[in-house]
Amino acid sequence: MRKPVMATKIQQAPKVGMVSLGCPKALVDSERILTKLRADGYDMSPDYAGADVVLVNTCGFLDSAKEESLEAIGEAIAENGRVIVTGCMGNEAELIMNRFPQVLAVTGAHQYEDVVGAVHKAAPPARGAFVDLVPNLDAIGGLKLTPRHYSYLKISEGCNHSCSFCIIPDLRGKLVSRRIDAVLREAEKLLAAGTKELLVISQDTSAYGVDTRHEAKMWKDREVRAHMTDLARELGQLKTTDGHAPWTRLHYVYPYPHVDAVIPLMAEGLLTPYLDIPFQHAAPSVLKRMKRPANEAKVLERLQNWRSICPEIAVRSSFVVGFPGESEADFEYLLGWLEEAQLDRVGAFRFEPVEGAQANALDGAVPEEVKEERYQRIMAKTAAISAAKLQAKIGRILPVIIDEVGEADEDGSIGATGRSQADAPEIDGNVFLRDVAADLRPGDIVNVAIEDADEHDLFGVVER
């Protein structure tokens, strides 16, 4: 009589929860951490209750962001009790540990090995002949916290600027560019995994490769430099799973002269006609106090030139109001500049002191009520510009990438939400579609007839 075969009991994998705060660059850090942990045999938990340990990836750019991060840490401790902190507030470990002595470990921004090591210590990974068959997720694009059809592609860490309102170089260090062959390889894997839209991010995308003197590497059968223009051209030659070029957006681009060279790539269709440029202000005196380039007149000329080369180009930017020393005349100058610049998408922020920033020592603090009044005025100005630009698109046919498809209503009609090439996810507008086909899916790119518009969004129907 044969002896019964004893079933092998596989050790249950520990589960990790993640709270990711801050900018897309932090989101990429979270994805990399989770990818490494998943490859080490961990499962992911969608809630506090099911997690053996919770990671909180913090933001420390503004005091309000720090407070939000601290609140998230407190909530994770209250709901779970086993918490590891990482991210930009990692350089304030003493503050975190004094407020939350229960925290298991604190690691800094993009210190992947340290945070993974802390997780291993807090919840040792399940090991064994079967668990170790977990696939190499790095080889298939890694775990993503964004929808399948778009991905952030981080090309560098840190920043060489010393803007008086910013502490990013203190948090993330000086510029460190990734090898261009590594960036392109990651982009290729993301596209093979279903990505249709690449969002290129860093602290200063136009400075990519400066620290390595634009070192060239072999890619395919040729040498390619670590330079923003070369990178954009190569990304435009990659293909999605359906054989098309991906939508590729450049974010956080400082307006250096060499940025002019990427505009023809947009006109050729190799690069999405979209630039995210953080101008921050336009008044020369404010830019000087911010320690930023103050050649605002030249920028207006370049915007005009870019539009002559690529009429479809959309430019988004962000501005700070109420910076120390900003006079009413400075603010009026900014409003006039915006009227002339006619930027497509604009975000505005009330100045907020950040601990450790040089701007804290500047005189001329602007009262909070004045900041608020200026914020409302700049938002009204930019909303009016946006509304006029979107009204001009009514009657046109635009390519739209689908983000979400709704359920059929009582009449069987299905709606969907997408974005035009002028709209990056999460920060810009949407295109709302009516009466879409039942087989429409997120990530599909369709031609849309624009029927209506408001201040920020478009409305239309898929062209049949």
Side-chain angles (χ1 to χ4, degrees):
M1 184 175 177
R2 298 175 63 184
K3 292 183 178 180
V5 177
M6 298 297 292
T8 300
K9 185 176 181 179
I10 299 176
Q11 182 182 351
Q12 186 174 2
K15 292 186 177 182
V16 177
M18 169 70 84
V19 178
S20 188
L21 304 171
C23 64
K25 294 176 284 295
L27 187 69
V28 172
D29 290 343
S30 295
E31 289 177 341
R32 289 181 178 173
I33 292 166
L34 292 180
T35 294
K36 177 65 173 109
L37 290 173
R38 186 69 186 91
D40 285 349
Y42 290 84
D43 282 340
M44 303 301 121
S45 173
D47 52 39
Y48 292 121
D52 293 289
V53 64
V54 175
L55 294 175
V56 180
N57 192 0
T58 57
C59 178
F61 183 59
L62 298 172
D63 287 348
S64 57
K66 290 182 182 180
E67 191 55 41
E68 181 184 8
S69 295
L70 292 171
E71 289 175 4
I73 295 168
E75 179 182 339
I77 288 174
E79 296 292 332
N80 181 279
R82 296 175 58 76
V83 176
I84 293 170
V85 177
T86 188
C88 287
M89 279 197 73
N91 67 334
E92 300 189 49
E94 186 176 350
L95 181 154
I96 292 169
M97 296 304 297
N98 285 340
R99 185 156 168 178
F100 304 108
Q102 310 97 310
V103 165
L104 301 177
V106 180
T107 70
H110 58 261
Q111 293 179 357
Y112 309 121
E113 295 84 359
D114 292 345
V115 69
V116 169
V119 173
H120 282 196
K121 183 176 180 181
R127 290 295 183 189
F130 297 97
V131 174
D132 287 343
L133 293 177
V134 170
N136 177 1
L137 292 171
D138 284 320
I140 58 173
L143 287 175
K144 293 172 76 262
L145 299 178
T146 55
R148 182 169 179 260
H149 60 281
Y150 68 81
S151 302
Y152 292 102
L153 182 67
K154 192 187 322 189
I155 62 174
S156 65
E157 296 283 1
C159 181
N160 288 343
H161 292 283
S162 56
C163 302
S164 63
F165 56 83
C166 182
I167 58 171
I168 290 296
D170 296 329
L171 297 177
R172 291 182 171 261
K174 293 291 188 181
L175 176 71
V176 179
S177 299
R178 296 177 61 197
R179 292 171 49 137
I180 191 163
D181 53 341
V183 173
L184 292 171
R185 194 173 299 113
E186 180 182 349
E188 199 170 53
K189 291 175 186 175
L190 289 168
L191 297 178
T195 291
K196 302 291 184 65
E197 180 178 18
L198 294 169
L199 300 110
V200 178
I201 58 171
S202 65
Q203 295 301 142
D204 180 1
T205 294
S206 37
Y208 173 61
V210 167
D211 56 313
T212 64
R213 298 187 178 182
H214 302 299
E215 181 183 19
K217 294 291 182 182
M218 288 300 297
W219 171 249
K220 307 296 184 182
D221 57 352
R222 58 194 178 278
E223 277 198 340
V224 182
R225 294 182 307 155
H227 189 284
M228 183 182 73
T229 307
D230 297 54
L231 174 63
R233 184 181 297 109
E234 294 298 327
L235 290 173
Q237 294 178 31
L238 298 178
K239 299 298 180 186
T240 62
T241 52
D242 55 9
H244 298 295
W247 285 17
T248 303
R249 299 183 189 277
L250 300 181
H251 288 270
Y252 313 115
V253 176
Y254 280 69
Y256 303 141
H258 70 260
V259 174
D260 295 350
V262 302
I263 310 303
L265 301 181
M266 297 178 184
E268 294 170 28
L270 293 177
L271 190 65
T272 304
Y274 178 99
L275 275 182
D276 176 2
I277 302 179
F279 289 119
Q280 308 295 7
H281 214 281
S285 61
V286 177
L287 289 169
K288 184 176 181 180
R289 291 165 76 87
M290 288 179 167
K291 295 190 174 179
R292 292 181 66 83
N295 202 353
E296 80 293 342
K298 184 72 172 177
V299 168
L300 289 173
E301 291 178 17
R302 292 173 70 201
L303 284 170
Q304 185 176 10
N305 186 50
W306 293 349
R307 287 168 176 150
S308 69
I309 296 170
C310 182
E312 293 299 314
I313 188 172
V315 179
R316 99 163 320 271
S317 190
S318 55
F319 295 86
V320 177
V321 299
F323 191 79
E326 181 192 58
S327 65
E328 178 61 22
D330 291 328
F331 182 71
E332 289 286 352
Y333 187 101
L334 172 58
L335 293 182
W337 188 90
L338 285 167
E339 182 65 38
E340 191 167 352
Q342 290 287 300
L343 302 182
D344 299 84
R345 299 295 190 188
V346 172
F349 304 90
R350 307 161 188 84
F351 172 74
E352 186 178 319
V354 180
E355 185 176 348
Q358 303 168 50
N360 300 345
L362 296 175
D363 57 8
V366 177
E368 291 301 318
E369 61 272 18
V370 176
K371 289 182 192 176
E372 182 61 29
E373 186 263 347
R374 289 177 182 172
Y375 173 79
Q376 296 299 334
R377 286 162 64 192
I378 193 173
M379 294 310 293
K381 163 66 74 175
T382 56
I385 293 171
S386 174
K389 281 180 161 281
L390 295 182
Q391 282 289 321
K393 295 183 179 183
I394 295 176
R396 295 187 56 194
I397 306 295
L398 299 178
V400 169
I401 189 167
I402 302 300
D403 286 330
E404 185 178 356
V405 180
E407 298 290 334
D409 63 18
E410 61 273 12
D411 298 323
S413 179
I414 302 173
T417 303
R419 289 173 291 106
S420 74
Q421 291 189 315
D423 302 301
E426 306 293 334
I427 56 174
D428 294 326
N430 293 301
V431 182
F432 295 103
L433 308 178
R434 62 174 179 84
D435 301 327
V436 302
D439 61 351
L440 191 68
R441 296 289 181 267
D444 288 349
I445 297 176
V446 293
N447 289 324
V448 173
I450 304 302
E451 300 174 317
D452 201 359
D454 60 20
E455 289 181 343
H456 303 291
D457 303 310
L458 297 169
F459 302 82
V461 63
V462 176
E463 189 181 38
R464 304 293 183 183

